[in-house]
Amino acid sequence: MKNPNMRLVGPIFLLVVIFASLFPFRGTAAQSGMEIYLPEMSCQAFPEMTLKLRATDPDGNVLAQGMTGERFSVLENGQSVPEFELVGTEQGPMFVVFSLDLGQFSNLDDYKKEVQDSLRAFANNYFRDEIDMVAILTHIKTDSGQRSVPVLPPTHSRAEFTAAIDSLSLQPADQQLEGLLGVETAFDTLLEMTAQEPERYSAVIVHFSRFVEKIRQSEVMGAATNLAAEIAPRHVKIYVLQTDTSDLAQSVEGYKKLATLTGGQHLDYTGSSRQTELAKFYDAILNNSLTYLGQFRSNLPDSGLRTVEVRPVDAGGIPAQDAQTCSITLQDPAVQIITPQGPTFSIERHIVPGAVEGKLVLDTPSTPIVAQLQLPWPDGFPRQIVQADLLINGATEQSITPDATQTRYEFTLDLSRVVTSQTLEAQVRVQDELGRESISASVSLNIVVENIGTPIVVITPIPTPPPCVESSTSMACIQTRAKDSLPWIGLAGFFIVSVLLILTRRQLFSIASVGVQVVRKAGAEIRKTLLGGRARTQDVLAYLDVLAASSDRKGHKISIYNARTTLGRDPNITDVQVYDADEDCSVSGQHCTILYDRGRFLITDDNSTNGTFVNGKRLLSNEPTELSDGDEIILGDIFRKGAKLCFEVNKSGAGSTTQIEMETDVKATASDYDDEDDFRPESSQAASFSQNPVASEEQGRYRVTKPGWDFDEKDTFSSEASGSSPKPSSQEQDGRRRKKGKDQSWKDQLG
């Protein structure tokens, strides 16, 4: 009696077959819609990296439309590659195994000529010598068991392929083959041919068979489905050429299922159109070998293993299906100075007569320095040099950005600032596109300056001014006219002094009283307006353009407001700092002082260690030297972090008063002072004043300066616009009486 459970085997097996047919096999990365494999990568032209890239759908069909570099995300050692581009396509290598079933019921011998013609068509029209790989296997069954005979082992040679076709024997064996074992053996051979990575290539099995032997026809579909489940994820396609479709329908359907599930095709080889259909098979195999050529430029500077992965840009967190590696050993670029040659080089600067007032100038204002990149590159990987620097005593003197193919770098060293004999160490530093740097050997430049015992200056001839005419507006002409007017100015001054002497003592007392009131209130609250007036802003006297100093100060313009401005690097004792106090430089804590005196600017070296230079001339310590507009000032040694400044006079405001101008509308009287008051101001209130020529009808404007108070007959004062003396009040008269009795000497002095 049969087991009733056996009745369920058939329906369950049928459901499994139906389910498998509805859900074809897919790779794990199929969700992204694209799978990417890397058959090959080349690092021979590093940093240019070249990839061969195979992009397929989840079924292993190559994608041939709309492929650009923007669709791919490339990682080198886990870091994103900024620019990746596809530069072309080519047909990648094909790996094909021709499999022939020669079981007991095989009829391939009847189709021997057709089979040989089919193989020759592939060998002559599709196979590329030394690129593609092919193998021919026949499957037989003997008393010792079933085995596959390699009629042609895997080869890249067309000659070997053709010879194997000519000697092909298709005699059937004495026993039946066991199911689809021949296809399994062909798959194993294909894995060996592709180094276990058939996904990277167009890998195909072309299987010739009459029908599936020694297996129940009801089990053929299941066997085909199971075998396809093993082969399809590896992107191996199976093309079946069947020579008998007359009586075993299950065998036909099983082969069709195997071809369909693996992305291949099934062909009735008994038909008259077999050669035409077979050509379509071969075209499909060739087209599926399409490979993209991609390239990018590496920007990683380290030696070692480079691992490159490629993923679709929309892959999200799905890992890459494939990766390629290569090993790189990098070395720094090498550069040497070729001009001047040798470890030392002497440069002589001689004195030549100048063009103005017998002054002297130096020849050889500059010298060329040329460096050459050493070729070939030490590591064999040429790269672009992106920057070359000339170093003098370790500091960057000049930088250039070379062209992509430039290997020679020319500099010009400015020697115009070198006015004393000294030695400069010259080097050239280069940096390649990966950020690797190299510095050349040092060349010592021994600069010998001729010494005549006097400071050497570089001069610029002063042009002869044009003659003055009546309409000339130049400053020189205006000064000439002013000198011509001096006699008239003196006469006017004598007249004014005479008028002052005629004034009565009462008038002088009134003037002095109001003057002292102004002084007291100005000294008590100098920051506020004088007697109710308002302060006016001081003018900028000059500027200092910073040409060389610390990096955060270079390029700035410094305004000079005060009559005395100190320069150096100590913020506690100087007004302007060109370097930080703790910075290693050749500028002293208090290096020099700039003074403004009656329209002239003077500069004094404050006993600095490395000296102060004006237009190349070193100043004597504590000896003021006049400054002119456009003069070049150097503090210290410019090659050891000195400072270079350009002096610029504020032509709109230079020479104008720096006194604090005040306005008042309050009249001061002697009653504001008691008996203890004196017309000698306290030291904290010391000031002098003079009447401003501009005054309103009800206001007197006064100019106050510090320190010191100097009141004499040259100074005038008027509390009213009319210029008349104010009439003293009764309080003023009382104050005078008290003052008179106590101290008469000051009146005698005024009288």
Side-chain angles (χ1 to χ4, degrees):
M1 182 177 179
K2 294 183 178 180
N3 188 344
N5 292 332
M6 294 299 296
R7 298 177 181 176
L8 300 176
V9 175
I12 293 175
F13 180 77
L14 182 60
L15 289 175
V16 172
V17 173
I18 295 173
F19 181 82
S21 64
L22 292 176
F23 299 94
F25 300 99
R26 297 289 188 269
T28 57
Q31 298 175 4
S32 68
M34 182 192 302
E35 297 184 9
I36 301 172
Y37 299 94
L38 307 178
E40 186 179 337
M41 181 175 72
S42 174
C43 301
Q44 294 181 355
F46 185 87
E48 194 76 42
M49 307 279 279
T50 303
L51 293 174
K52 290 185 179 181
L53 181 149
R54 177 174 163 82
T56 70
D57 63 16
D59 292 326
N61 299 311
V62 71
L63 300 175
Q65 301 296 329
M67 291 292 104
T68 61
E70 288 77 11
R71 294 194 61 179
F72 302 97
S73 173
V74 181
L75 300 178
E76 181 184 13
N77 287 359
Q79 298 187 26
S80 178
V81 172
E83 294 184 6
F84 175 74
E85 60 178 341
L86 297 181
V87 296
T89 60
E90 68 177 24
Q91 298 302 132
M94 297 183 293
F95 293 83
V96 182
V97 175
F98 290 95
S99 171
L100 299 96
D101 274 349
L102 298 180
Q104 183 179 4
F105 300 109
S106 172
N107 64 347
L108 292 184
D109 195 37
D110 299 337
Y111 295 93
K112 181 178 180 179
K113 182 179 183 305
E114 289 79 2
V115 172
Q116 289 178 320
D117 289 344
S118 299
L119 297 180
R120 289 192 184 97
F122 184 82
N124 296 330
N125 302 323
Y126 297 91
F127 182 81
R128 292 165 298 173
D129 203 20
E130 302 303 330
I131 296 178
D132 301 322
M133 181 175 282
V134 66
I136 301 177
L137 302 178
T138 59
H139 311 291
I140 61 174
K141 178 67 178 293
T142 63
D143 292 338
S144 61
Q146 180 168 320
R147 61 191 180 93
S148 297
V149 179
V151 176
L152 175 65
T155 181
H156 292 287
S157 171
R158 177 183 285 112
E160 294 178 3
F161 187 14
T162 303
I165 295 172
D166 294 339
S167 61
L168 184 63
S169 174
L170 301 179
Q171 290 292 328
D174 296 335
Q175 299 181 35
Q176 296 183 49
L177 297 177
E178 296 178 1
L180 299 174
L181 192 57
V183 179
E184 295 181 27
T185 304
F187 177 62
D188 293 338
T189 301
L190 195 59
L191 291 179
E192 295 176 4
M193 293 167 59
T194 60
Q196 304 298 320
E197 295 177 340
E199 299 90 346
R200 292 179 172 178
Y201 314 101
S202 179
V204 174
I205 297 173
V206 180
H207 186 64
F208 292 83
S209 179
R210 180 179 181 184
F211 51 76
V212 180
E213 296 181 349
K214 207 175 182 180
I215 187 174
R216 294 178 183 178
Q217 294 301 306
S218 60
E219 299 175 358
V220 171
M221 292 290 288
T225 302
N226 293 335
L227 183 57
E230 179 183 357
I231 295 176
R234 307 304 303 273
H235 290 188
V236 174
K237 299 182 181 300
I238 298 178
Y239 291 82
V240 178
L241 284 67
Q242 197 163 0
T243 58
D244 191 352
T245 59
S246 60
D247 54 355
L248 298 175
Q250 288 293 333
S251 179
V252 173
E253 294 302 320
Y255 274 133
K256 287 183 178 180
K257 176 62 66 176
L258 180 62
T260 301
L261 292 180
T262 59
Q265 298 183 45
H266 178 274
L267 173 63
D268 178 7
Y269 201 65
T270 62
S272 60
S273 61
R274 57 177 170 267
Q275 296 301 335
T276 302
E277 294 298 325
L278 188 62
K280 295 180 181 179
F281 281 13
Y282 292 161
D283 288 339
I285 296 171
L286 180 63
N287 293 336
N288 208 48
S289 68
L290 180 68
T291 301
Y292 292 95
L293 302 178
Q295 66 181 21
F296 67 91
R297 203 163 184 88
S298 175
N299 56 8
L300 301 183
D302 300 326
S303 299
L305 194 66
R306 303 297 178 96
T307 300
V308 177
E309 300 174 304
V310 182
R311 295 181 295 178
V313 293
D314 57 353
I318 298 176
Q321 284 88 23
D322 199 5
Q324 282 282 8
T325 61
C326 65
S327 182
I328 298 293
T329 301
L330 295 176
Q331 298 181 28
D332 294 333
V335 64
Q336 64 178 353
I337 295 177
I338 60 175
T339 302
Q341 296 182 348
T344 60
F345 183 77
S346 296
I347 302 173
E348 296 184 358
R349 300 200 69 195
H350 297 284
I351 300 171
V352 296
V356 178
E357 298 179 358
K359 293 185 178 180
L360 301 176
V361 296
L362 296 174
D363 61 5
T364 318
S366 63
T367 186
I369 295 181
V370 181
Q372 177 70 50
L373 191 68
Q374 293 185 12
L375 300 176
W377 281 64
D379 53 19
F381 300 120
R383 302 183 288 278
Q384 179 181 350
I385 297 298
V386 297
Q387 183 170 324
D389 303 316
L390 173 62
L391 307 181
I392 299 298
N393 293 344
T396 302
E397 176 70 16
Q398 185 179 353
S399 298
I400 61 175
T401 301
D403 296 334
T405 59
Q406 186 174 346
T407 59
R408 180 184 174 96
Y409 316 108
E410 299 181 359
F411 303 91
T412 300
L413 177 59
D414 182 11
L415 298 178
S416 62
R417 296 165 294 175
V418 182
V419 296
T420 59
S421 297
Q422 56 185 285
T423 298
L424 304 179
E425 298 296 329
Q427 295 172 296
V428 172
R429 177 179 57 205
V430 294
Q431 182 184 82
D432 67 19
E433 60 184 290
L434 301 181
R436 301 182 73 98
E437 292 185 351
S438 177
I439 299 179
S440 71
S442 176
V443 174
S444 297
L445 303 178
N446 296 327
I447 303 176
V448 180
V449 179
E450 183 179 351
N451 184 13
I452 62 171
T454 59
I456 307 302
V457 297
V458 179
I459 63 167
T460 301
I462 302 175
T464 303
C468 292
V469 296
E470 185 175 355
S471 59
S472 298
T473 59
S474 66
M475 183 59 65
C477 294
I478 293 175
Q479 292 175 350
T480 301
R481 296 193 191 101
K483 292 180 181 178
D484 296 339
S485 303
L486 286 178
W488 297 102
I489 295 175
L491 182 62
F494 176 79
F495 176 77
I496 294 174
V497 172
S498 300
V499 173
L500 290 175
L501 294 176
I502 298 175
L503 295 176
T504 64
R505 294 183 177 181
R506 177 179 298 179
Q507 290 172 322
L508 293 176
F509 176 76
S510 177
I511 294 172
S513 299
V514 177
V516 171
Q517 176 69 4
V518 173
V519 171
R520 285 174 57 86
K521 290 184 178 292
E525 198 172 0
I526 193 62
R527 291 187 302 272
K528 299 182 180 179
T529 58
L530 179 65
L531 300 178
R534 61 183 183 274
R536 300 182 63 187
T537 305
Q538 292 175 276
D539 294 325
V540 177
L541 300 176
Y543 301 99
L544 291 175
D545 293 321
V546 183
L547 305 180
S550 63
S551 58
D552 58 340
R553 297 169 174 84
K554 186 176 180 180
H556 290 192
K557 180 186 284 290
I558 301 173
S559 300
I560 296 179
Y561 295 93
N562 302 325
R564 181 179 185 273
T565 302
T566 55
L567 287 79
R569 58 182 175 86
D570 189 342
N572 297 320
I573 58 176
T574 58
D575 302 310
V576 177
Q577 297 85 46
V578 293
Y579 284 94
D580 293 336
D582 57 353
E583 191 166 357
D584 184 15
C585 63
S586 60
V587 177
S588 300
Q590 178 173 335
H591 199 100
C592 65
T593 301
I594 296 178
L595 302 172
Y596 176 74
D597 181 27
R598 289 170 291 184
R600 295 192 310 160
F601 290 93
L602 305 173
I603 183 170
T604 304
D605 180 81
D606 297 336
N607 289 312
S608 66
T609 302
N610 296 296
T612 303
F613 300 81
V614 175
N615 294 333
K617 177 180 179 181
R618 182 162 184 165
L619 308 183
L620 299 177
S621 298
N622 300 318
E623 291 291 335
T625 299
E626 185 168 356
L627 279 177
S628 301
D629 185 36
D631 282 353
E632 178 187 88
I633 304 173
I634 294 180
L635 311 185
D637 188 345
I638 195 64
F639 293 104
R640 294 190 299 110
K641 288 193 174 181
K644 181 177 179 181
L645 312 171
C646 181
F647 181 75
E648 177 184 348
V649 176
N650 182 11
K651 299 180 178 58
S652 61
S656 62
T657 180
T658 59
Q659 298 167 327
I660 305 174
E661 297 180 357
M662 300 292 182
E663 294 181 0
T664 182
D665 54 2
V666 179
K667 298 179 180 180
T669 65
S671 62
D672 293 326
Y673 306 93
D674 55 23
D675 292 341
E676 302 301 324
D677 290 333
D678 195 347
F679 282 97
R680 294 186 300 275
E682 298 175 0
S683 60
S684 62
Q685 297 173 331
S688 68
F689 63 91
S690 63
Q691 184 180 4
N692 190 299
V694 181
S696 63
E697 293 181 2
E698 297 181 0
Q699 294 178 333
R701 178 179 296 174
Y702 308 90
R703 180 175 301 148
V704 178
T705 64
K706 298 194 302 180
W709 175 53
D710 180 17
F711 180 84
D712 55 28
E713 59 269 20
K714 293 187 294 181
D715 297 317
T716 63
F717 171 77
S718 176
S719 62
E720 299 183 14
S722 62
S724 62
S725 301
K727 182 179 181 180
S729 64
S730 60
Q731 293 178 345
E732 290 175 322
Q733 295 173 358
D734 293 340
R736 291 173 184 171
R737 294 188 189 102
R738 291 194 301 271
K739 198 70 173 179
K740 178 177 180 181
K742 195 168 185 177
D743 187 3
Q744 183 68 25
S745 62
W746 67 271
K747 288 187 177 182
D748 296 336
Q749 295 173 0
L750 292 177

